Amino acid sequence: MEMTVIDKLTMIFKYIISSFMGIELFLLSLLLFLFTILNIKKNNKIVKIISIIICVGFLIGLMIAYRSYAMESIDSLIRLLLSYLYFPSMVVYFFIILTTTVAFICTILSTKMAKSKKVINCIVLSFLYFCFMAIISLSTKNHIDLSVVNELYKNDTILAFIQISNIVFFLWVEYTSLYYFYKFLGEKFD
């Protein structure tokens, strides 16, 4: 389907004006945009709360209106996550390494992060880099093409490194999420 940018924008505009749902979605998005702009200018707590309520209401409304599609999407996401845990791909693994690199740089540059959190980040991120370098070394030594998924399963050591580093990464993400959530609650209620 070869379309220019103008053709695509025209198609989107036709969708917006063709149905009540399109107009409603456009108005809700415009309202959210306006509240965001107001928040940038005034940094008002009421505007923040209203923006969050609009976002959450928008998502809940879509989930109710398209209940079967929402459930199917959630099921697909869970299946994809589980299939990745059992059958890892190097594309996702490289994305994890990219994420850890950004987190490592943020850890090094941060002046507000607690020392204990910095130590845990450095330990986990160093372990993930070790696993990544070991995978690259093993694939080079054994002449394994990492872009071919079937070859990934030929070497149990590489597969073990990928699966263990994935578990460590997901545990670290959970720990980091809980850490910042606890910190957020501590600031709000102290």
Side-chain angles (χ1 to χ4, degrees), residues 12 15-16 21 32 60 69 84 90 94 108 119 128 143 152 182 184 186:
I12 290 171
Y15 170 76
I16 290 171
M21 181 66 138
L32 181 62
I60 291 172
Y69 181 73
Y84 173 71
M90 286 308 291
F94 286 129
I108 291 170
V119 169
L128 291 174
H143 306 290
L152 202 63
Y182 177 75
F184 171 77

Side-chain angles (χ1 to χ4, degrees), residues 35-108:
F35 274 113
T36 307
I37 294 298
L38 282 173
N39 188 35
I40 290 171
K41 284 186 174 183
K42 296 186 179 187
N43 199 11
N44 190 341
K45 214 174 210 178
I46 294 171
V47 174
K48 287 180 185 180
I49 292 170
I50 291 173
S51 296
I52 291 170
I53 290 171
I54 289 173
C55 268
V56 171
F58 184 69
L59 286 175
I60 291 172
L62 284 176
M63 290 173 109
I64 290 171
Y66 300 105
R67 182 174 37 255
S68 62
Y69 181 73
M71 293 304 291
E72 188 177 317
S73 296
I74 292 169
D75 285 345
S76 295
L77 176 65
I78 291 171
R79 271 192 233 114
L80 280 171
L81 287 174
L82 289 176
S83 77
Y84 173 71
L85 287 175
Y86 289 112
F87 308 106
S89 75
M90 286 308 291
V91 173
V92 177
Y93 192 73
F94 286 129
F95 176 72
I96 288 173
I97 293 302
L98 183 65
T99 304
T100 57
T101 303
V102 171
F104 197 67
I105 291 169
C106 290
T107 300
I108 291 170

Side-chain angles (χ1 to χ4, degrees), residues 136-190:
I136 298 299
S137 172
L138 284 167
S139 65
T140 304
K141 178 181 165 191
N142 296 328
H143 306 290
I144 295 174
D145 185 7
L146 293 176
S147 63
V148 179
V149 176
N150 293 339
E151 287 193 32
L152 202 63
Y153 300 107
K154 290 179 182 176
N155 191 312
D156 290 336
T157 310
I158 290 177
L159 203 54
F161 268 115
I162 291 172
Q163 289 174 338
I164 292 298
S165 60
N166 284 337
I167 290 169
V168 169
F169 176 75
F170 288 118
L171 288 174
W172 174 75
V173 167
E174 284 181 40
Y175 164 75
T176 302
S177 301
L178 289 173
Y179 172 82
Y180 284 113
F181 182 68
Y182 177 75
K183 192 174 172 184
F184 171 77
L185 289 178
E187 290 172 0
K188 284 289 184 189
F189 295 113
D190 278 345

